[in-house]
Amino acid sequence: MPHKLPRSVPLLTGLLAALWCTCAAAQTRVVFPLQEDTAVVGGLRHVEARHEDTLIDVARRHRVGFQAIRLANPELNTWIPGEGARVLLPLLFVLPDTPKRGIVINLPEMRLYHFHAAPSGEGRRVATYPVSIGRREWGTPQGTLEVIQKREDPTWTPPDSVRQAYAAQGKSLPDVVPAGPDNPLGAYALRLSRPTYLIHGTNWSTGIGLRSTHGCIRMDNDDIGVLFPHVDVGTPVHIVHQAVKAGWRDGVLYLEVHPPLEERATESSPLETAMERVMAAVAGREARVDWNRVRATVTQASGVPRAVGWTAGHAAAPLLATPAAPKSPDAAGEGAGQPPSGDSLSPVSLIPVPAGEQAQDWFVRMGRFRDEERALVLSAHLEADGFASRVVGGARGTGAWTYHVLLGPAVGREEAVSLAQRARQRTALEGEVMRWPPPQGR
């Protein structure tokens, strides 16, 4: 008997085709509208690598930094991902916890944010670009600076410290490097109020998203060409180190964790920092947090935001819940470093499991496929819409392998129905509420 797809698949095929076209047409889109309460912008995307691509090639086409794309795709070979390899573009961002004005550079994620008014006068926007920052021995300074000069086709006068570093390697530098293709400042430069530090272009775009400078902020030439005309002298530049960020969008709390800079790695516990950020984000809201997801996000430190909480009554809440891990002592002593847990209805808690009912019994099946690739694509788009999705394989009676795309677990059938309704509202896809595993043949 031929495999029959659920009735949502024709719609699914059209939806994914439309999403793919949108991604292809907007692959360099890095500007997002900014409301007063905006904390999360953008969305996750997948693209296919070409035969000749490295991950660096894919990153540059889509304004993603080198380290960011490697952290988001740990299973892929950096230099030969392979033709048709699905590459996750980490283009969902929790905005840094700073004043939303001028330029903000977050060192651990090696990313620049530019907050500005839309030229049309229709509100404010934020544009974001990958950058390179100073090597450990040439650290980029933190603090609030400002742009004091703008230079197009700049010349470069190497400072004494850089000359000495080159001399130690048996190399020499001219007194002044003229503008042109060999100038490491590229086509544009913004001088900061610590005059030896610049935001500038480059003659080596391959290195964007690495710690590879003498302390300056380096951008791809195309990116700084877009940024340059929108930055005025006097624009504030906030340079921060925020390896852990948390923020809300549409009733869902996202946590984004990056590896800290090497020299800052021992300053604080990433888990403790994440707990503080999450608790600060929840303050004053009726909301719940899945602390198991918080721990997993900290452990992965992939730079990809993950949903870890929800507002009270949110229809997507069941899909975020995972069973609470039992409390146990750690190396620091009983309960040290443990986030809150329990089943109360306090502002921060895990979903309680009704007595006699298993939390993982109920799911919403959004589709089933013979082709694992199609199942993974759907799952990725559901994740981008704020739903925690998973792909589960199961053998049918004929022996053919079927891949199921599930949302859940839900605590009971009613919450699964509510979850299916929210998924339909946000994606136009019809999910099937069911227990898992399903009866044989389904």
Side-chain angles (χ1 to χ4, degrees), residues 18-36:
L19 285 169
W20 183 263
C21 291
T22 300
C23 294
Q27 62 184 10
T28 57
R29 181 177 181 271
V30 293
V31 182
F32 307 99
L34 187 68
Q35 305 299 326
E36 192 63 33

Side-chain angles (χ1 to χ4, degrees), residues 90-328:
L91 295 173
L92 178 68
F93 308 103
V94 178
L95 297 178
D97 183 17
T98 64
K100 293 181 174 60
R101 60 190 182 89
I103 291 172
V104 174
I105 297 161
N106 190 18
L107 298 177
E109 65 176 315
M110 298 186 214
R111 198 143 194 107
L112 179 151
Y113 297 86
H114 180 219
F115 299 91
H116 59 287
S120 61
E122 298 177 359
R124 300 179 68 237
R125 308 187 301 183
V126 57
T128 179
Y129 310 92
V131 298
S132 292
I133 64 172
R135 301 194 293 265
R136 179 170 184 172
E137 64 274 23
W138 296 88
T140 300
Q142 290 180 235
T144 299
L145 308 176
E146 66 178 44
V147 175
I148 62 171
Q149 184 185 54
K150 298 176 59 173
R151 294 283 302 277
E152 190 170 350
D153 294 324
T155 60
W156 180 43
T157 303
D160 289 340
S161 56
V162 175
R163 289 179 181 282
Q164 293 168 9
Y166 269 69
Q169 301 174 26
K171 302 176 183 178
S172 61
L173 286 171
D175 293 339
V176 177
V177 178
D182 296 327
N183 190 314
L185 301 188
Y188 301 94
L190 303 170
R191 187 171 298 279
L192 304 182
S193 47
R194 290 185 64 171
T196 56
Y197 292 94
L198 309 171
I199 300 172
H200 62 80
T202 182
N203 59 349
W204 184 55
S205 290
T206 301
I208 298 300
L210 290 172
R211 299 193 69 177
S212 56
T213 79
H214 290 96
C216 289
I217 304 297
R218 180 187 295 161
M219 300 181 66
D220 183 273
N221 273 333
D222 292 340
D223 287 348
I224 195 167
V226 174
L227 175 69
F228 188 83
H230 299 291
V231 175
D232 298 324
V233 170
T235 296
V237 178
H238 308 282
I239 304 176
V240 299
H241 184 285
Q242 294 183 12
V244 179
K245 301 182 293 179
W248 290 92
R249 182 164 77 176
D250 296 334
V252 175
L253 176 62
Y254 290 88
L255 181 67
E256 180 181 336
V257 180
H258 298 260
L261 297 187
E262 186 181 355
E263 60 270 29
R264 301 283 300 272
T266 60
E267 290 184 3
S268 60
S269 160
L271 180 57
E272 290 178 2
T273 302
M275 291 165 53
E276 292 170 1
R277 299 281 189 201
V278 168
M279 295 293 284
V282 168
R285 296 175 185 251
E286 278 196 53
R288 298 176 181 177
V289 173
D290 185 330
W291 293 104
N292 292 329
R293 277 182 166 263
V294 171
R295 289 188 184 92
T297 305
V298 170
T299 299
Q300 292 168 1
S302 66
V304 178
R306 189 177 186 193
V308 297
W310 58 94
T311 52
H314 196 287
L319 67 92
L320 294 172
T322 57
K327 292 183 179 179
S328 61

Side-chain angles (χ1 to χ4, degrees), residues 365-438:
R365 181 165 66 184
M366 301 301 292
R368 54 179 178 172
F369 309 90
R370 284 184 175 176
D371 182 359
E372 183 184 20
E373 196 74 13
R374 294 184 67 194
L376 290 171
V377 169
L378 173 58
S379 179
H381 284 299
L382 289 168
E383 287 274 0
D385 280 326
F387 296 98
S389 173
R390 66 188 72 187
V391 175
V392 178
R396 300 175 68 245
T398 60
W401 197 262
T402 302
Y403 297 94
H404 306 261
V405 181
L406 303 178
L407 303 182
V411 183
R413 186 178 184 281
E414 288 186 8
E415 293 213 33
V417 169
S418 179
L419 172 58
Q421 292 171 343
R422 178 167 175 78
R424 182 172 63 246
Q425 292 169 356
R426 295 195 64 174
T427 69
L429 298 178
E430 194 76 34
E432 179 183 4
V433 174
M434 62 191 305
R435 286 186 178 271
W436 190 269

Side-chain angles (χ1 to χ4, degrees), residues 57-74:
D57 297 323
V58 178
R60 189 169 181 224
R61 281 202 300 273
H62 297 277
R63 286 195 167 116
V64 177
F66 184 28
Q67 176 172 284
I69 205 164
R70 287 195 302 179
L71 288 174
N73 297 275

